[in-house]
Amino acid sequence: MRILVLGGGAREHAICWKLKQSPRVAKIFCAPGNAGIAQVAELAELIPTDVKAVAGFAMRERIDLVVVGSEGPLAAGVADALDKERIPVFGPRRNAALLESSKAFAKEFMHRHDIPTARYAVFSFEETVECRAFLRHVSYPAVIKADGLAAGKGVVICETEAEATHALDEIFTHRIFGEAGQRIVIEEFMEGEEASVFAITDGVDYAVLAPAQDHKRILDGDRGKNTGGMGAYAPTALVTPEIIEQVKREVIEPVLKGMREESRLYRGVLYCGLMIADGRARVVEFNVRFGDPEAEVVLPLIDGDLAEIFLACAEGHLSSVLPIKAFPATAVTVVIASQGYPESYQTGELISGLESFTQKREIEEGIAIFHGATKLNEHGQFATSGGRVLAVTAVGYEDDLRRTITQAYNAVAQIGFNGAYYRSDIGKKGLKN
Ligand code: AMP
Ligand code: GLY
């Protein structure tokens, strides 16, 4: 099989790494990839959101499967363009990817299909006056979200009406989220603890992977600014077998049925971002791709041939590879970021310690280093090239999260660069369950 993976972060490194373990895979291309991904795939000079160029490349290179890592290309219609050329793609069509690319669509879809979530209202830019009036009567805290893709930054939690009115001005008048803020969703604030459940699907059948917990804030104890995610662990005991059953029945199955009824072809991953309280889950958000860093812990736990599984989803015969087995293991990933992230930071810092993580150690010690943002400098050494630089991942082949956390941090301690920053409490919240 010849596979093209779209994206260039630690999530895509984990995808390529797992695909490469399949005996059926002859060649992996990744666009744009990064210096770490280049160790397991050939980098292709393609802009993933340029859907025509992607389809052209896939035809020229006789690609058997395209795996889409991030939401941008899906929102741009890459699955539609590939479908037209009859190239199997692991990722939903544009009209199904709206579940992530429009929060207003997602809320209305959940409402139509009776999926548990926070109460909400949608306002467009032309309805600023009505929106202000509405804000006078909602209860606080309330959540204001930009409708469109805003790289995880489009959400403001408002404690008071004054804060909400200020957020509204920022979005509608100062247009801080640009086009993404043409419409907003105002939502009830949900109490509870967050977790993510991933279903992979061919649109009809599905399989649920290990539930995970991300750590979105920059500082220990879930304080400070929101980031793309500073670490994750899986499986999380917060999501009990009963909650998994509830999520299947009340979330995943209605989403897939609703998508079919509305003629939206959904193949790929359904990421259910959940708020859990009193033993029940409600949906915070959907994403139409794997989470980053959740992918780095969820994928290594799959006991199966990822290429075969993704192809079965893309071709519509997932049932042929079910059930998908999971290793009886725990996984922890710690993101090493550049000092200053998620605001401004330096790049080009030389990274030390990576050379000691050989394939032998990967197998013997269960450590895999996924690169999020690295490049080779003029001496051919790894250097930093972005905010989330590395995802240091440990897989402990037993059900002992505490040990796996230690294993991950032991590896983190052996890697360094100027201004390396990481949280020191990744996975800790999983110990209390
Ligand atoms: P989203 O981009 O919709 O996932 O929102 C980003 C983050 O904001 C979530 O991961 C939650 O931590 C928080 N959040 C969003 N919506 C709500 C809500 N209705 N209640 C509580 N927290 C929320
Ligand atoms: N880790 C959160 C996300 O990928 O959206």
Side-chain angles (χ1 to χ4, degrees), residues 11 100 196 214 216 227-229 271 285 287 289-294 388:
R11 164 181 55 204
E100 175 167 0
S196 324
D214 188 6
K216 283 192 176 154
T227 71
Y271 169 138
E285 62 161 347
N287 294 316
R289 35 79 190 170
F290 281 109
D292 189 353
E294 292 98 317
R388 291 192 294 168

Side-chain angles (χ1 to χ4, degrees), residues 104-144:
F105 172 86
K107 295 300 288 194
E108 284 156 3
F109 181 89
M110 284 189 265
H111 185 69
R112 282 199 290 284
H113 299 286
D114 212 15
I115 294 167
T117 186
R119 282 175 297 150
Y120 72 101
V122 178
F123 291 93
S124 69
F125 164 69
E126 293 82 17
E127 298 165 311
T128 309
V129 176
E130 293 85 336
C131 186
R132 260 182 225 286
F134 181 82
L135 289 176
R136 234 165 275 145
H137 303 290
V138 295
S139 51
Y140 289 92
V143 185
I144 298 188

Side-chain angles (χ1 to χ4, degrees), residues 228-370:
M230 295 300 294
Y233 74 94
T236 172
L238 177 66
V239 182
T240 59
E242 291 73 33
I243 294 175
I244 294 270
E245 284 312 311
Q246 182 225 333
V247 170
K248 283 180 175 176
R249 213 172 45 244
E250 296 182 13
V251 181
I252 299 168
E253 288 165 17
V255 167
L256 298 182
K257 183 161 171 279
M259 287 286 166
R260 290 196 300 274
E261 283 168 7
E262 298 181 12
S263 300
R264 305 173 190 274
L265 185 59
Y266 203 109
R267 285 178 177 168
V269 192
L270 175 66
Y271 169 138
C272 310
L274 305 170
M275 189 67 80
I276 304 198
D278 306 322
R280 277 186 60 78
R282 287 200 286 169
V283 176
V284 179
E285 62 161 347
F286 287 118
N287 294 316
V288 298
R289 35 79 190 170
F290 281 109
D292 189 353
E294 292 98 317
E296 293 93 297
V297 289
V298 169
L299 296 175
L301 294 178
I302 296 176
D303 180 5
D305 181 328
L306 196 68
E308 193 172 56
I309 294 168
F310 281 180
L311 186 68
C313 289
E315 291 184 335
H317 53 83
L318 180 62
S319 62
S320 67
V321 299
L322 294 179
I324 293 170
K325 287 191 290 179
F327 289 117
T330 49
V332 174
T333 192
V334 178
V335 170
I336 309 185
S338 301
Q339 187 72 52
Y341 173 80
E343 313 265 276
S344 61
Y345 48 79
Q346 300 281 334
T347 60
E349 299 292 349
L350 183 66
I351 307 171
S352 65
L354 286 177
E355 39 319 315
S356 75
F357 289 92
T358 56
Q359 204 172 8
K360 183 161 171 282
R361 286 189 68 187
E362 183 177 304
I363 294 161
E364 286 173 3
E365 296 173 35
I367 297 290
I369 316 280
F370 300 124

Side-chain angles (χ1 to χ4, degrees), residues 103 118 143 145 152 155 157 187-191 194 216 226 275 284-285:
K103 291 194 188 285
V143 185
K145 302 181 174 185
V155 175
I157 294 175
E187 214 173 80
E188 167 200 359
F189 178 82
M190 292 185 281
E191 301 280 354
E194 284 182 78
K216 283 192 176 154
N226 249 321
M275 189 67 80
V284 179
E285 62 161 347

Side-chain angles (χ1 to χ4, degrees), residues 176-210:
I176 54 166
F177 299 128
E179 283 291 299
Q182 291 274 35
R183 285 200 293 174
I184 59 168
V185 173
I186 301 175
E187 214 173 80
E188 167 200 359
F189 178 82
M190 292 185 281
E191 301 280 354
E193 209 178 336
E194 284 182 78
S196 324
V197 167
F198 300 87
I200 55 173
T201 180
D202 61 5
V204 178
D205 289 304
Y206 68 92
V208 174
L209 306 179

